[in-house]
Structure formats: C-alpha cells, structure tokens
Amino acid sequence: ETGVTQTPRHLVMGMTNKKSLKCEQHLGHNAMYWYKQSAKKPLELMFVYNFKEQTENNSVPSRFSPECPNSSHLFLHLHTLQPEDSALYLCASSQDWTVGYTFGSGTRLTVV
Amino acid sequence: AQSVAQPEDQVNVAEGNPLTVKCTYSVSGNPYLFWYVQYPNRGLQFLLKYITGDNLVKGSYGFEAEFNKSQTSFHLKKPSALVSDSALYFCAVRDWENQGGKLIFGQGTELSVKP
C-alpha cells in the first residue's frame, strides 16, 4: 500500500455509460495528477491539480472530466468513451518535488 | 525544451549479470532526477533519486544510479540481476518550466532477466 488508493481496480464500461474513477491520498500532499498508460506507449499526463486548482490540462478530450473537491481526493468522470480510451489510469500525488511522486496502483479500464 | 530519454525499449540480461538501464536528460535548471519501477498492472514505485550530493545514488532493491553531469546521464545499475527485477523502468526529471514541480517521464525501458 503506497498511501494513494485508486478505486475501482478494474472497470469495464460500454461506450454510452457514465462512470467515475476515484483517487484518495492521506499523505498530506498538495498536488495530484492523472496519467493514462496505454500498452506500448509512454505515460501520458492528463491533468494536474495543485491545492485543489487545476493547473494543467494536456488537451484531454472533454469526455474525461476531472474533479478535485479537496486536496485528498481526485476523481475522473468518464462519459461516452471510445475503445481507444481503454488503458491503465494512474493517479499520483506529491508534496514537494524533491521527493517525487507517490502513485496509486491504477484502474484498468476497458471500454467495450 | 526539457526532456528525458531512455534510448532502449528493452534490455535483456542473464540472472547474476550486471544490468544497466540508460537515461539521458535535458533541463533548464538543476537536474532533479528519479527512477521508478512498474510491475505488471501496478502503479509506479519509487526506486531512487538524485537531488544533490554524491553522484552515485543508492536506492531500493540493490539498485543504484550514477549522475553524470557532463554526459547529462543518470543510468540505473545493479551489480547482479535477479529474475524478479524484470519490470518496466521509468526515468524522470523535474520540469523547471512548470511551477507545480511536475515530473517529465521517459518512455520506459522493459527489463527482462532470464534464469
């Protein structure tokens, strides 16, 4: 257990469904991140939140909608996804860049 | 532009042999460098970091990395590889052009250690 918890671990959803991924950390970190990891591709940074404010959105399609209600929780709301959105979605948090990130175990998403 | 490169997609090593996973970087500020390991269907786990100090950094599971400023490299090494070291390895560098301290990750190197 790293201190960053992601739920669910696995998710299968249809293209018309709406679902949410959850990330929770009680490490006292003030920055949280969503990454997408597809097979045979590098990590893709999706969103960055610092002190609950979104500071980066890397041209992510609007079918992905992040939410950060407080510094401990981060959500990724999903709707009308495409099969190519199937991937491992990783959440990470950090307090200070000198100690890097702490990652969750990820949510394996399959869009059918 | 700031970047980090891992020139090898895959590294194959026999168990008991030394291993090296390569990483080079380009940054506008001080190079704060990290190595992470990822096992199948898991998140990334921190291995070691270089912020300042000795060029040889020791980390988890017997891994170490050597910071070389002149060659802008931060190669990951282990004297004797284990089959259980087989995983995906990521090098990362702090993004100085981003106030939030975001890390820039390399594309990853798959390490395969055969018995």
Side-chain angles (χ1 to χ4, degrees):
Chain A
E1 194 61 52
T2 65
V4 177
T5 303
Q6 289 189 244
T7 54
R9 289 297 308 275
H10 301 272
L11 177 63
V12 179
M13 61 185 288
M15 289 189 283
T16 58
N17 290 159
K18 289 185 180 181
K19 297 286 185 183
S20 295
L21 309 185
K22 180 181 177 182
C23 177
E24 185 173 358
Q25 58 91 7
H26 296 288
L27 301 170
H29 291 175
N30 52 36
M32 296 186 79
Y33 312 81
W34 278 118
Y35 281 87
K36 176 184 178 184
Q37 187 179 28
S38 303
K40 307 296 183 185
K41 286 188 176 180
L43 289 170
E44 298 174 49
L45 178 64
M46 300 175 74
F47 301 104
V48 180
Y49 278 82
N50 279 286
F51 296 100
K52 303 188 298 178
E53 299 298 319
Q54 188 181 122
T55 54
E56 192 158 340
N57 175 340
N58 277 342
S59 303
V60 180
S62 58
R63 58 186 183 269
F64 295 91
S65 174
E67 178 190 3
C68 189
N70 54 60
S71 292
S72 298
H73 294 86
L74 183 65
F75 295 90
L76 188 63
H77 303 300
L78 316 171
H79 64 98
T80 56
L81 294 191
Q82 305 298 312
E84 60 264 29
D85 296 323
S86 299
L88 182 66
Y89 287 84
L90 293 166
C91 173
S93 69
S94 67
Q95 171 62 23
D96 183 315
W97 37 258
T98 62
V99 296
Y101 293 177
T102 301
F103 281 86
S105 295
T107 295
R108 172 67 64 186
L109 174 67
T110 303
V111 181
V112 297
Chain B
Q2 304 190 111
S3 64
V4 60
Q6 294 178 242
E8 301 155 316
D9 288 339
Q10 184 155 9
V11 170
N12 297 308
V13 177
E15 188 175 30
N17 283 1
L19 70 87
T20 299
V21 182
K22 295 179 180 177
C23 172
T24 59
Y25 64 89
S26 173
V27 294
S28 56
N30 290 326
Y32 294 145
L33 297 152
F34 302 82
W35 274 102
Y36 288 84
V37 61
Q38 185 181 29
Y39 298 100
N41 290 311
R42 302 303 301 269
L44 280 67
Q45 297 176 34
F46 171 79
L47 272 181
L48 50 79
K49 64 179 179 180
Y50 172 83
I51 304 297
T52 187
D54 289 342
N55 290 343
L56 187 63
V57 178
K58 293 189 183 297
S60 308
Y61 313 120
F63 283 94
E64 58 189 28
E66 186 170 10
F67 170 66
N68 188 316
K69 188 172 184 179
S70 61
Q71 296 184 5
T72 61
S73 67
F74 189 56
H75 300 331
L76 181 70
K77 300 182 180 185
K78 188 172 182 180
S80 178
L82 299 173
V83 172
S84 58
D85 291 330
S86 299
L88 189 56
Y89 290 80
F90 290 92
C91 181
V93 66
R94 189 201 189 244
D95 180 357
W96 284 99
E97 294 173 6
N98 181 286
Q99 282 188 317
K102 182 183 69 175
L103 294 182
I104 299 171
F105 286 88
Q107 70 270 31
T109 297
E110 189 166 354
L111 174 65
S112 177
V113 182
K114 300 288 190 214

